[in-house]
Amino acid sequence: MILDAFKLTGKTAIVTGAGKGIGRCIATTFAEMGANVVCVARNIDDLEQTAAAIRELGAQALVVVADVTDEEQLKTVVARTLETFSGIDILVNNAGAPGKGWGSIEKVGMARFEDTVRINLTSAYTLSHLCLPALRDSQTPAIVNVSSALSWMVDRNFTAYAAAKAGMNQMTRVMAYELAPHIRVNAVAPGAVDTPATSFITSDQQRRDEAERWIPLRRFGTPQDLANGVLYLASAASSFVSGKVLEIDGGMQALPGSAIQHTLDNLD
Ligand code: NDP
């Protein structure tokens, strides 16, 4: 069966940022496909809700409270995963945010810039590094990074975030080359997705309408739109794909740059 290629039966997946938004949906989608899921974020209540949804689907969940910007806490994530499930097959580096580096270049100095790079890029590198020995022991190892359309779109105030996500794209390609042929490394680059992170737009109908007018598919993405792409890249369905950044953005990349700029200017 072709659909069997999407199954994750018996696999163990670590998903960072699994407390809400896209990460929670990736975690429950993996569970639906049969994976054990390790849910990582800082807020335990959010993580417990994700874990409850996973268990309701008949899969196993492990909650590990950790800040992905702290290497010692990432070591604990790996150790607890191996104690509980004895292996790691899939790593999804999803945790990310514009962070303290959001703002004008005048205002954002080294500390704020580095905060954003640490959340979005350094954390993904470090956790991939720490998971490598276990991934090498897996029969079907895959790393999926969650990047952003802002890795190629240009918007003011996002210098640090855009640089970090563009770095993530290139990190994905270089890691894919270095870790081939055994470990596959890919990324998704979401456009505007309806999550708690974008509620400042989606909760205001006028701002939402204005944003959606400029998305070729005329709507925000859902977390499931992203989770479907991550499932493809994490599963055997994409076994001949590595080093790819998959845009899941409602067609935004097809727009001329001027149209994108118009959208962003109207959201300021
Ligand atoms: P949300 O803010 O809805 O969720 C982010 C998740 O990451 C939360 O569970 C949060 O939990 C966790 N997280 C944030 N910082 C840390 C940290 N330092 N350590 C551990 N966990 C952390 O975001 P989205 O679901 O919208 O975004 C998910 C990914 O998609 C991010 O990488 C984001 O950059 C990317 N993206 C999103 C887009 C969108 O339109 N929504 C567009 C483009 C990219 P907690 O705070 O409890 O730690």
Side-chain angles (χ1 to χ4, degrees):
M1 274 281 286
I2 292 168
L3 288 181
D4 283 350
F6 289 90
K7 289 195 177 145
L8 301 177
T9 315
K11 310 264 179 232
T12 296
I14 297 177
V15 181
T16 66
K20 53 191 173 185
I22 295 169
R24 173 179 286 174
C25 192
I26 294 168
T28 54
T29 299
F30 280 11
E32 216 172 319
M33 301 312 280
N36 311 314
V37 188
V38 181
C39 304
V40 181
R42 293 165 300 181
N43 183 306
I44 190 158
D45 296 335
D46 290 343
L47 287 172
E48 289 297 355
Q49 281 184 41
T50 305
I54 288 170
R55 291 177 189 128
E56 224 161 86
L57 290 161
Q60 292 190 66
L62 171 68
V63 165
V64 185
V65 175
D67 184 332
V68 294
T69 63
D70 183 319
E71 187 175 18
E72 291 309 310
Q73 294 184 37
L74 291 179
K75 285 181 184 167
T76 303
V77 170
V78 175
R80 296 226 18 231
T81 302
L82 294 176
E83 272 163 33
T84 310
F85 296 120
S86 75
I88 301 169
D89 302 291
I90 299 161
L91 167 63
V92 182
N93 289 306
N94 164 76
K100 293 185 186 141
W102 186 87
S104 70
I105 300 161
E106 281 80 5
K107 287 189 185 143
V108 174
M110 185 187 268
R112 283 176 59 182
F113 185 91
E114 285 187 347
D115 173 81
T116 294
V117 171
R118 204 173 174 90
I119 296 170
N120 293 285
L121 179 60
T122 314
S123 66
Y125 174 84
T126 308
L127 190 53
S128 303
H129 161 78
L130 293 171
C131 287
L132 267 194
L135 288 170
R136 287 201 191 284
D137 287 342
S138 164
Q139 298 299 306
T140 54
I143 298 174
V144 184
N145 296 318
V146 179
S147 177
S148 169
L150 281 163
S151 63
W152 58 271
M153 280 165 61
V154 173
D155 193 12
R156 61 176 67 83
N157 293 322
F158 281 102
T159 307
Y161 181 74
K165 293 294 195 182
M168 177 177 248
N169 293 359
Q170 185 65 347
M171 180 181 81
T172 298
R173 291 184 277 261
V174 177
M175 276 195 184
Y177 184 63
E178 187 171 328
L179 300 179
H182 189 51
I183 302 174
R184 295 186 305 110
V185 187
N186 290 289
V188 293
V193 184
D194 195 345
T195 71
T198 52
S199 61
F200 70 101
I201 301 173
T202 52
S203 60
D204 176 329
Q205 196 58 46
Q206 202 184 333
R207 283 166 77 80
R208 185 178 187 127
D209 288 348
E210 182 58 32
E212 289 184 337
R213 211 154 62 81
W214 292 94
I215 300 169
L217 295 186
R218 296 286 183 273
R219 66 172 177 85
F220 271 66
T222 62
Q224 192 67 59
D225 290 322
L226 269 297
N228 292 347
V230 174
L231 172 64
Y232 167 67
L233 293 173
S235 68
S238 64
S239 61
F240 198 48
V241 179
S242 197
K244 182 76 189 157
V245 179
L246 176 62
E247 305 292 339
I248 304 180
D249 62 1
M252 282 295 279
Q253 209 179 35
L255 286 180
S258 56
I260 291 170
Q261 217 47 58
H262 179 91
T263 314
L264 296 170
D265 288 345
N266 276 291
L267 291 173
D268 278 346

